[in-house]
Structures are given as C-alpha cells and as structure tokens.
Amino acid sequence: STNENLLVRALKFYERTGHLDHSRQLLARLKDSSIEKSWKTILEGAQMEARAGRYSIAREWLKYLTHHVPWYGPLYKIHSEFERDYGDPAEAFSIVEKGLKELPRYGPLYLVAFRLLEKEDLSRKAYDLPKTMDMVSRADNISRELLWRVHFEAAQSQERAAVLLMGEKPKLSLKKALYATRRSYSKAIMLSPPNLVWKIWLASGRTEVSCGNTNGARDLFLRAYDCVTEKGRSTVLLECARLEEFCGDLALSRSILCKARNEH
C-alpha cells in the first residue's frame, strides 16, 4: 500500500541519517496493525536491526515474518542469508529448505543453497561436491530464464573445488580436474539468453587460462567478443589484452588496449 511504502522510505531515511530511535518509534506503532498491512515495514525494520548489530531482534522478526508471509520468496532469501552471516549455517539451510517447500520454483533460493552446501562439502574435503551437485539437480524445475545461472554457479563451484583438490594432490592435472567445470559451462551456454552468453564464454576462458590452456582461452574470448553486447565489449577486450600479456606478446596486448580505448 502507499502508506506502507512511505513508512519503508521513512525507516530508510532515519537509518541513513543516524536516527534509529525514530525508526524504532515508527515500528512500535505497528504493534496493532494487521500483518497484511505491515509486513514490508517489519521486514525493512528487521534488516535495519541486523545492520545495527541487534541480531536477536532481527532474528525474532524474521522468524515471525517467515511464519506469517510464507508466499514471499525474497523473505526466505533474506532470512537464510542473515543466518548464514550472523547465525548458524545449518539453520540457514533449514530456512532455504522451508522456502523451497513453499516455492519450489523460486530460483534465488537455490543459489543461496549452492553456496551453503559448497562450503559444507569443502569442509569435508568432498571435492566432487556431492551435496552441492544434488541441489543443482533439484533446481532443474525452475524457470528457463534462471536455469543457465544454476549451471554457471555450479561451474564456478567446481572450479574452486578443483583448485583446492590440486593443493591436496599436486601431481594431478588441473586441466583434467576441470572436466566437470567445463561440462557445467557447456550446459550454461546452451541455456543462456543470447544477451548474456558472452559472460559464460568469458568465464570459461578465464578457467582455461588458470590451467595453462592459452589457445583454448583465446578461442573462448573470441567467442565472447563475437556475441558481446556493446556495454560489455571493453570487458572482453581487456581480458584479451591480459591473455596476450600473459603469453608474452606485449605488442598485441597494447594493440588490443588501443582498440578498446578507441572504441570506448
């Protein structure tokens, strides 16, 4: 409602100007309001208290909202990230699961789950990321618009795991250890919208640089350049220049940078 939007703006203003007492006075007036008319304001208040370090109050309000507003996906994301950062990761994952039970197609919750499970897998030195990849499989039912992001995040998790595995077993080939990463990038490329696919080509090229496959990286960067949007072209050219500098061709690196400067 308009009134609630004004209250949220007032809370943000008082927080920004350092008058948290005024914000809390506004929140106190909601004591007798119905949840339908006040939940947005309470949510903003909970986040304000978390930023102020009053974690117990923020937690109490977030639990209250999760119980009474179960249909609002971003609430579960905010609540789980709060527990991840200031509480218990196990509780954070429990909130994610509760949210996915209510809203099984809400993609952003899966992304939170991936990061929680990756951390758990790596803490157990399970470098094949079994729990993380199980969650990736569960995410197959989300909208196609976000499904590419699932595999993109999986690829980056697998790359981090491969690098840590090499620290444990330095005789392994990083190029081979990155097989699962490449497979996930391929899935992301097939599912990505045309205006975003350049980002995946670029990320996969960086992966190839990390394992010394400079020819493969060059091909991937060129693919990124072929489909990049105008806004992202300078980013791709900068990566191309860095690659040629890494390969020792400083003249070509400078030439690419000059091209980037002339175009932008």
Side-chain angles (χ1 to χ4, degrees):
S1 68
T2 303
N3 286 343
E4 190 168 20
N5 290 335
L6 288 173
L7 279 173
V8 169
R9 290 175 64 182
L11 290 182
K12 290 179 177 179
F13 171 77
Y14 286 136
E15 181 184 10
R16 190 167 60 249
T17 56
H19 295 94
L20 293 182
D21 53 335
H22 294 346
S23 294
R24 291 175 183 132
Q25 288 171 15
L26 283 179
L27 289 165
R29 296 177 190 173
L30 301 175
K31 183 174 62 175
D32 299 321
S33 299
S34 67
I35 189 66
E36 292 81 7
K37 296 180 179 179
S38 61
W39 69 267
K40 291 181 183 177
T41 312
I42 295 172
L43 178 56
E44 182 61 36
Q47 294 178 89
M48 179 195 75
E49 295 295 8
R51 290 188 289 267
R54 297 183 18 148
Y55 303 131
S56 59
I57 293 174
R59 180 175 291 109
E60 182 181 339
W61 285 359
L62 288 170
K63 285 182 177 179
Y64 172 80
L65 289 171
T66 303
H67 178 73
H68 288 283
V69 194
W71 46 265
Y72 187 60
L75 173 58
Y76 294 100
K77 183 175 182 291
I78 292 167
H79 194 178
S80 60
E81 288 176 339
F82 168 82
E83 289 296 345
R84 179 196 66 193
D85 296 338
Y86 304 114
D88 178 10
E91 178 63 19
F93 186 70
S94 174
I95 294 162
V96 168
E97 288 283 35
K98 184 176 180 180
L100 291 176
K101 186 177 180 181
E102 290 284 343
L103 305 160
R105 291 174 59 82
Y106 185 63
L109 269 183
Y110 286 100
L111 303 182
V112 176
F114 297 158
R115 295 179 190 115
L116 290 168
L117 292 172
E118 178 191 352
K119 188 173 182 180
E120 183 180 343
D121 281 334
L122 294 179
S123 71
R124 297 185 295 110
K125 297 188 177 182
Y127 297 118
D128 56 340
L129 304 177
K131 292 190 175 184
T132 308
M133 298 314 295
D134 281 348
M135 183 59 73
V136 169
S137 298
R138 283 177 56 185
D140 277 345
N141 66 338
I142 69 170
S143 64
R144 185 180 175 86
E145 290 76 15
L146 270 180
L147 195 53
W148 73 273
R149 180 73 183 278
V150 167
H151 296 291
F152 181 78
E153 292 287 339
Q156 299 207 312
S157 294
Q158 289 165 323
E159 181 175 0
R160 288 189 288 267
V163 170
L164 290 174
L165 177 61
M166 290 299 299
E168 298 266 331
K169 299 179 179 180
K171 291 184 179 180
L172 287 178
S173 164
L174 180 57
K175 192 172 181 179
K176 290 182 178 179
L178 289 169
Y179 172 77
T181 301
R182 295 188 185 95
R183 187 173 56 190
S184 292
Y185 275 136
S186 296
K187 291 179 181 178
I189 287 166
M190 288 188 290
L191 293 164
S192 173
N195 64 314
L196 295 174
V197 71
W198 69 272
K199 294 185 176 184
I200 310 172
W201 288 121
L202 197 66
S204 57
R206 290 172 181 148
T207 297
E208 296 305 323
V209 173
S210 73
C211 66
N213 182 15
T214 54
N215 289 331
R218 188 176 290 110
D219 289 342
L220 293 168
F221 288 161
L222 289 174
R223 284 176 180 257
Y225 186 77
D226 286 341
C227 61
V228 69
T229 59
E230 183 68 27
K231 187 177 179 180
R233 189 164 294 161
S234 59
T235 301
V236 176
L237 288 171
L238 184 58
E239 287 295 339
C240 292
R242 286 171 174 163
L243 174 62
E244 299 309 335
E245 181 185 8
F246 178 75
C247 293
D249 193 340
L250 296 182
L252 180 54
S253 179
R254 292 191 188 100
S255 176
I256 294 170
L257 288 173
C258 286
K259 177 181 175 65
R261 184 180 62 189
N262 292 334
E263 286 188 1
H264 304 280

